[in-house]
Amino acid sequence: MEKPLWRPDRNSQIPLHLQITEYLRDKIAGGEWTVGTRLPSQRSLAESFGVNRSTVVAALGELAAAGMIEGGRGGGTKVVNHTWGVLASTPPPDWNAYVSAGIHYPNLPAVQEINRSEFHPGLLRLGTGELSPELLPREEMSRLLRRMADHVPDLGYGEPNGDLFLRELLASRMNSQGIKASPECILIVSGALQALQLISVGLLQRGSTVLLERPSYLYSVPVFQSAGMKLQGVPMDEDGLRPELVAPYAKQYGGALLYTIPTFHNPTGIVMSQQRRNRLLEVCQKAGLPILEDDVYRDLWLDEPPPAPLKAGDSSGVVLYMSSLSKTLSPGLRIGWITGPQPVIERLADIKMQSDYGSSAFSQRLAAECLSSGMYEAHMESLRTKLGLRRQAALDSLQRHFGEGLAEWSIPNGGFYIWLKLNRTAAPRKLFDAALKQGILINPGHLYDPEAGNRIRISYAYASLDELESGLARLAEIVASL
Amino acid sequence: MEKPLWRPDRNSQIPLHLQITEYLRDKIAGGEWTVGTRLPSQRSLAESFGVNRSTVVAALGELAAAGMIEGGRGGGTKVVNHTWGVLASTPPPDWNAYVSAGIHYPNLPAVQEINRSEFHPGLLRLGTGELSPELLPREEMSRLLRRMADHVPDLGYGEPNGDLFLRELLASRMNSQGIKASPECILIVSGALQALQLISVGLLQRGSTVLLERPSYLYSVPVFQSAGMKLQGVPMDEDGLRPELVAPYAKQYGGALLYTIPTFHNPTGIVMSQQRRNRLLEVCQKAGLPILEDDVYRDLWLDEPPPAPLKAGDSSGVVLYMSSLSKTLSPGLRIGWITGPQPVIERLADIKMQSDYGSSAFSQRLAAECLSSGMYEAHMESLRTKLGLRRQAALDSLQRHFGEGLAEWSIPNGGFYIWLKLNRTAAPRKLFDAALKQGILINPGHLYDPEAGNRIRISYAYASLDELESGLARLAEIVASL
């Protein structure tokens, strides 16, 4: 559980431990910590309150004496009654049962921990799949916000498919990449993850199987599993997904959809060759197997532009195409899009209206300003240079610290990731914990492939150059010591 | 299906019908209109292309001759082949089967039609549950956007629970309404509808029953049904939900949650009395039945502030509380929030991270600016005056046109709605269609209660005063003529 954000007032006349007692009493009586809730440890409470542990012990003693909490043998302290002094006649609903009853899968524990840890200052984040704040265009955004102030977007509910101006800009952008997309066949979503969520509940039956690369980003989010679908990995090689396996796998596992990241694949960084793309389209068209193309890394090429999207070669509507501005411009914008057959887009738009009545009008308009002003292109150009330097620095550090037989890796041509292969096996959880203890947050390989225990996803996009060097040095020591 | 947004070029050398043929061919060959897709009618195509119907007929003739489309007997025109001239050897995936296979329910047809119609200019919208553009604080937003340009929010991914500054502001706001909420027990969501969506998949088992007022807004969105839950209405009277029925209904139908809008209920406008609130809390605490309090209309009081939220009287954590800025400030912001027991909030935050990685950082920061600058309070004060005038105008118009025995209604003390009861029965669909034909969009009662066929939800928040008068006059004629 997250620790409280409150702190006692050191200038108050009331003793610290009584302030804490009162605060915790209110938290329990007010229903934030219901009966059955397990309290954070004394140590962590003392830390978040900024007091000695003995002060916390005194406060907890008062609450225990009043019958509100009970220390367990080894099991920590739990809330047992929500009223002070008298046993409540009617217990509140058992929220913990509700929390575990819901349909949706929780995030993987390691992912939950990563989500939380990412906001602890001081942690060195070696695997984060996001641009470092210093790479984000703050000044340009500030300029565009000022422009937006003169053209405030419509403050009302938006159209089901999203802001028309933004859709027109995206249509013309995709056209330049070889994709023929009309604005009415584009749906604006709150990031690519929402596209996956809508597709999971909008197009597939419970029990269907989604084929995907193995490893894949998709293994790290239980979005399809929560909707009752199964994932079936298809092996890759250095040119990407192996198309000759798709039809047999689809047949054997009853695949209903193939999810692929053909360009700067997450986590391997691989770019599917043009030949493979043609072959994959052919195979899927023949099998009547729809492809979901996730193209969020396309604009992050470093050496040369990647081959055209699968969707550009799609002459029969077999490809649903999704992308986003989160990896290139600003994750906080929460703007992505899908394009594909019109009935599919309308179905997904209808579900989106039922999920959140559309994406933020401000984010949509700001995204449109970024694209229409030329800011996006200029930003991408400068970003490529900076990312290129970071990639080189990461490769140099890897060579220095892992080069002597500790690990192997390939050089990515774009995107964020290096898919590090350790030459010794370590229990992934142990490695994760050991690194975290030293202040390093890593994305272990098993998040992307249950069997890739000896892999680590390294990102050269987030940590600073200094952090990459010192973090990889320390990580190498940890790996060597395990 | 939405009509194409494209129009042929009247200055081009190429005849109009050939431009249209080419456009439609590309749409089919590019996979936007896949095999099996039904084309819009000739009339509606002619309208959207801005040409005569004969031009459309000529273009469709070319496509039919090339074997791409086929006219049905009465069933309209369908795409039958995605290549020009030759029958494609491999048909694309049957997307229409996918569209109907998904788990999530489509919106009710009438709701889909309303969603779409709301963006047709010129329609007179008598039931829209949203502030008219003229009531939205555009100028103030422009000022705040300029301020935001000097303090660009963090462009990266946000914390799982949402922007901390915004959560602190909401906590202090709720505190002033009697609700003790800590920032760590608040989750920012993209509007109240997303709160419902997260709760539906996060806290309830498939097959559970949600109790709710009958009628209720919740009947108009299949969010719980899509997650496999049932709805069971509990009767209301003029003081709101009848608490004495809650325990028996919960027992009989196995209720797992009670959803209620105790303040300016949608669609009836009813405010639950203080006595009822106390009784309802007691009943639910005793039955261990969690309450989901939807309080999005609270700040829209017109005569006097409503009683405190249920959550303010909750001493054991039986209430989950949700609200939003969509009804008061700007729907386009897409900002709402939930507060309740910490384990519940953390569960919902985890699912939100899996759905869209958090709400727009720009919307969150703008919402925080609105609250912290005092703009929100000033806006609400001026809004109340304007809404009060609108309410009076609507009541006057109703009296003029429906007063002679055509309908009955109560006077709401706040919110947006008048729940009109017609004294004659008309098939709701017939009424809806007849009104739409005359350019009037209404929200028929059966959206909120399958049996309320003789009800119409009137909103005095959206249409202008002139429109309210002329729209209600025409509506009365339609009702009288049916």
Side-chain angles (χ1 to χ4, degrees):
Chain A
M1 176 154 47
E2 270 301 81
K3 289 171 284 184
L5 298 165
W6 170 89
R7 286 192 162 213
D9 178 3
R10 293 199 165 265
N11 299 320
S12 159
Q13 302 273 325
I14 306 167
L16 290 178
H17 82 276
L18 286 185
Q19 289 186 51
I20 293 174
T21 305
E22 210 170 304
Y23 170 78
L24 293 177
R25 186 198 61 201
D26 284 357
K27 225 171 159 58
I28 294 168
E32 291 194 339
W33 286 358
T34 52
V35 170
T37 301
R38 185 172 302 211
L39 271 61
S41 71
Q42 296 175 350
R43 193 173 51 81
S44 101
L45 283 175
E47 201 182 291
S48 72
F49 293 148
V51 300
N52 290 327
R53 188 158 155 186
S54 59
T55 312
V56 168
V57 171
L60 295 182
E62 301 271 353
L63 291 164
M68 291 186 109
I69 62 171
E70 223 172 70
R73 290 146 303 275
T77 306
K78 272 187 179 179
V79 177
V80 291
N81 182 27
H82 66 272
T83 49
W84 182 269
V86 288
L87 190 63
S89 54
T90 55
D94 181 1
W95 282 110
N96 293 307
Y98 278 82
V99 164
S100 51
I103 298 163
H104 208 290
Y105 286 27
N107 255 317
L108 298 171
V111 172
Q112 286 191 355
E113 197 151 349
I114 291 174
N115 282 344
R116 270 197 301 267
S117 304
E118 285 183 340
F119 294 94
H120 289 182
L123 264 189
L124 216 156
R125 295 157 59 177
L126 287 186
T128 299
E130 149 181 16
L131 289 175
S132 161
E134 76 187 43
L135 297 177
L136 296 173
R138 280 185 78 80
E139 277 174 41
E140 294 89 325
M141 281 289 190
S142 160
R143 199 161 35 81
L144 292 179
L145 278 172
R146 214 161 271 128
R147 241 169 88 160
M148 233 172 98
D150 296 329
H151 310 277
V152 178
D154 196 339
L155 302 182
Y157 289 105
E159 295 189 58
N161 280 29
D163 186 85
L164 180 57
F165 180 44
L166 177 57
R167 285 186 283 136
E168 284 170 345
L169 289 164
L170 291 172
S172 95
R173 201 177 158 68
M174 285 191 280
N175 265 302
S176 74
Q177 294 163 343
I179 297 174
K180 279 193 181 159
S182 319
E184 68 269 23
C185 292
I186 296 173
L187 171 65
I188 306 295
V189 290
S190 301
L193 184 58
Q194 190 180 48
L196 294 177
Q197 216 268 324
L198 296 173
I199 290 164
S200 76
V201 297
L203 298 180
L204 302 175
Q205 284 180 304
R206 249 178 221 115
S208 320
T209 297
V210 174
L211 302 180
L212 73 171
E213 281 123 0
R214 180 164 189 167
S216 173
Y217 155 73
L218 198 57
Y219 278 106
S220 70
V221 281
V223 51
F224 282 100
Q225 296 94 319
S226 286
M229 283 116 219
K230 294 181 287 261
L231 300 185
Q232 176 57 49
V234 181
M236 307 174 73
D237 61 20
E238 62 281 359
D239 274 347
L241 188 68
R242 291 171 53 194
E244 75 277 14
L245 298 179
V246 170
Y249 270 65
K251 204 170 165 194
Q252 184 175 348
Y253 299 100
L257 183 76
L258 172 69
Y259 169 85
T260 176
I261 312 173
T263 306
F264 309 127
H265 176 261
N266 179 359
T268 64
I270 289 173
V271 177
M272 193 185 286
S273 66
Q274 183 61 59
Q275 205 184 355
R276 281 278 169 99
R277 289 173 195 246
N278 301 342
R279 183 86 189 99
L280 183 62
L281 271 174
E282 233 173 80
V283 162
C284 289
Q285 268 162 0
K286 201 159 175 183
L289 179 69
I291 297 174
L292 175 55
E293 179 176 20
D294 184 343
D295 207 23
V296 298
Y297 297 100
R298 162 162 301 274
D299 290 347
L300 296 161
W301 54 268
L302 296 177
D303 304 318
E304 52 178 0
L310 287 168
K311 182 69 185 163
D314 177 22
S315 62
S316 66
V318 76
V319 182
L320 256 182
Y321 176 88
M322 57 190 254
S323 191
S324 118
L325 298 176
S326 300
K327 299 299 173 190
T328 51
L329 188 66
S330 161
L333 260 188
R334 311 303 314 120
I335 293 294
W337 66 95
I338 325 177
T339 189
Q342 193 164 353
V344 174
I345 295 303
E346 293 192 351
R347 164 77 169 145
L348 299 176
D350 182 53
I351 303 178
K352 172 137 171 89
M353 285 300 271
Q354 295 181 53
S355 309
D356 61 11
Y357 282 130
S359 295
S360 159
F362 294 90
S363 277
Q364 292 189 71
R365 186 49 58 100
L366 193 51
E369 293 278 356
C370 292
L371 293 171
S372 66
S373 66
M375 178 275 234
Y376 180 80
E377 285 305 332
H379 161 68
M380 284 313 299
E381 213 161 295
S382 106
L383 178 61
R384 272 182 210 115
T385 313
K386 293 177 196 156
L387 265 186
L389 291 173
R390 285 170 158 269
R391 175 184 61 174
Q392 193 50 52
L395 290 170
D396 290 349
S397 296
L398 281 174
Q399 189 56 47
R400 255 193 300 282
H401 306 296
F402 288 85
E404 311 269 314
L406 213 50
E408 291 164 29
W409 58 92
S410 304
I411 301 175
N413 293 314
F416 292 165
Y417 309 116
I418 299 170
W419 187 229
L420 200 63
K421 183 181 176 189
L422 303 179
N423 285 337
R424 50 183 72 195
T425 33
R429 184 72 214 186
K430 222 168 152 181
L431 187 59
F432 179 82
D433 288 341
L436 195 58
K437 203 174 268 176
Q438 296 216 25
I440 299 175
L441 189 63
I442 59 166
N443 289 40
H446 73 282
L447 297 182
Y448 311 101
D449 174 356
E451 283 172 25
N454 62 337
R455 294 275 192 169
I456 300 175
R457 185 182 85 173
I458 299 295
S459 159
Y460 47 84
Y462 193 82
S464 70
L465 295 186
D466 284 355
E467 286 174 334
L468 273 172
E469 166 60 17
S470 68
L472 287 172
R474 267 192 277 168
L475 186 61
E477 280 169 28
I478 296 167
V479 168
S481 74
L482 282 180
Chain B
M1 175 152 50
E2 270 303 80
K3 289 170 286 183
L5 298 165
W6 171 89
R7 287 190 161 215
D9 179 3
R10 292 196 166 268
N11 299 321
S12 158
Q13 303 272 327
I14 306 168
L16 291 177
H17 82 276
L18 285 186
Q19 289 186 50
I20 294 174
T21 304
E22 210 171 305
Y23 170 77
L24 293 177
R25 187 199 60 201
D26 283 355
K27 226 172 159 57
I28 294 168
E32 292 193 339
W33 286 358
T34 51
V35 170
T37 301
R38 185 172 302 211
L39 271 60
S41 70
Q42 295 175 350
R43 193 173 52 81
S44 101
L45 283 176
E47 203 182 288
S48 73
F49 292 149
V51 300
N52 291 327
R53 189 157 154 186
S54 59
T55 311
V56 168
V57 170
L60 295 182
E62 301 269 356
L63 291 164
M68 291 187 109
I69 61 171
E70 222 171 70
R73 290 145 302 275
T77 306
K78 273 188 179 176
V79 176
V80 291
N81 182 27
H82 67 272
T83 48
W84 181 269
V86 287
L87 190 63
S89 53
T90 55
D94 182 0
W95 281 111
N96 293 305
Y98 278 83
V99 164
S100 50
I103 298 164
H104 208 290
Y105 287 25
N107 255 316
L108 299 171
V111 172
Q112 287 192 355
E113 198 152 348
I114 290 174
N115 282 346
R116 269 198 301 268
S117 303
E118 286 184 340
F119 295 93
H120 289 182
L123 264 189
L124 216 154
R125 294 156 60 176
L126 287 185
T128 299
E130 150 181 17
L131 289 174
S132 162
E134 77 187 42
L135 298 176
L136 296 173
R138 280 184 77 81
E139 277 175 40
E140 294 90 324
M141 281 289 192
S142 160
R143 198 160 36 80
L144 293 178
L145 278 172
R146 213 160 272 129
R147 240 168 89 160
M148 234 171 97
D150 297 330
H151 310 277
V152 178
D154 196 339
L155 303 183
Y157 289 105
E159 293 189 57
N161 280 27
D163 186 84
L164 180 57
F165 181 44
L166 176 57
R167 285 186 284 136
E168 284 169 345
L169 289 164
L170 292 172
S172 96
R173 203 176 156 69
M174 285 192 280
N175 266 301
S176 74
Q177 296 164 343
I179 297 174
K180 281 194 178 156
S182 319
E184 69 268 24
C185 292
I186 296 174
L187 170 66
I188 307 295
V189 290
S190 300
L193 184 58
Q194 189 179 50
L196 294 177
Q197 216 269 322
L198 296 172
I199 290 164
S200 76
V201 298
L203 299 180
L204 302 176
Q205 285 179 304
R206 252 181 217 112
S208 320
T209 298
V210 174
L211 302 179
L212 74 170
E213 282 122 359
R214 180 165 189 167
S216 173
Y217 156 73
L218 198 57
Y219 278 106
S220 71
V221 280
V223 50
F224 282 100
Q225 294 95 316
S226 287
M229 284 114 219
K230 294 180 287 258
L231 301 184
Q232 176 56 49
V234 180
M236 308 175 72
D237 61 21
E238 63 279 2
D239 274 347
L241 188 69
R242 291 171 53 193
E244 76 276 14
L245 298 179
V246 169
Y249 270 65
K251 204 170 164 194
Q252 185 175 348
Y253 299 100
L257 184 75
L258 172 69
Y259 170 85
T260 175
I261 311 171
T263 305
F264 309 125
H265 175 260
N266 179 0
T268 66
I270 288 173
V271 177
M272 193 185 284
S273 66
Q274 184 60 60
Q275 206 184 354
R276 282 276 169 101
R277 288 172 195 247
N278 301 342
R279 185 86 189 97
L280 182 62
L281 270 174
E282 233 173 81
V283 162
C284 288
Q285 266 161 2
K286 201 161 176 183
L289 178 70
I291 297 173
L292 175 55
E293 178 176 23
D294 183 343
D295 207 24
V296 298
Y297 297 100
R298 161 161 302 273
D299 291 346
L300 295 161
W301 56 268
L302 297 176
D303 304 318
E304 51 177 3
L310 287 167
K311 182 69 186 162
D314 177 22
S315 62
S316 66
V318 76
V319 181
L320 257 184
Y321 177 88
M322 57 189 254
S323 192
S324 118
L325 298 176
S326 301
K327 298 300 174 189
T328 50
L329 189 65
S330 162
L333 259 187
R334 311 304 313 121
I335 293 295
W337 64 97
I338 326 178
T339 189
Q342 191 162 353
V344 174
I345 296 303
E346 293 191 351
R347 164 78 168 144
L348 299 177
D350 181 52
I351 303 177
K352 172 136 171 89
M353 285 300 272
Q354 294 181 53
S355 310
D356 59 12
Y357 282 130
S359 296
S360 158
F362 293 90
S363 277
Q364 292 190 72
R365 186 47 59 100
L366 194 51
E369 292 279 355
C370 292
L371 293 171
S372 67
S373 65
M375 177 275 232
Y376 181 79
E377 285 304 331
H379 161 68
M380 284 314 299
E381 213 161 294
S382 107
L383 178 62
R384 274 183 206 114
T385 313
K386 293 177 196 157
L387 265 187
L389 292 173
R390 287 171 156 270
R391 175 183 61 173
Q392 193 51 51
L395 290 170
D396 291 348
S397 295
L398 280 174
Q399 189 57 45
R400 256 194 300 281
H401 306 297
F402 288 85
E404 311 268 314
L406 212 51
E408 290 165 29
W409 59 90
S410 303
I411 300 175
N413 293 315
F416 292 165
Y417 309 116
I418 299 170
W419 186 228
L420 200 65
K421 182 183 177 187
L422 303 179
N423 286 335
R424 49 183 71 197
T425 33
R429 184 70 213 185
K430 223 168 152 182
L431 187 60
F432 179 82
D433 288 340
L436 195 58
K437 204 174 268 175
Q438 297 217 22
I440 299 176
L441 189 64
I442 60 167
N443 289 40
H446 74 281
L447 297 183
Y448 310 102
D449 175 357
E451 284 172 25
N454 61 337
R455 295 274 193 170
I456 300 175
R457 184 182 87 172
I458 299 295
S459 159
Y460 46 84
Y462 193 82
S464 69
L465 296 186
D466 284 355
E467 286 174 335
L468 273 172
E469 166 60 17
S470 68
L472 288 173
R474 267 192 276 166
L475 186 61
E477 280 168 31
I478 297 167
V479 168
S481 74
L482 282 178

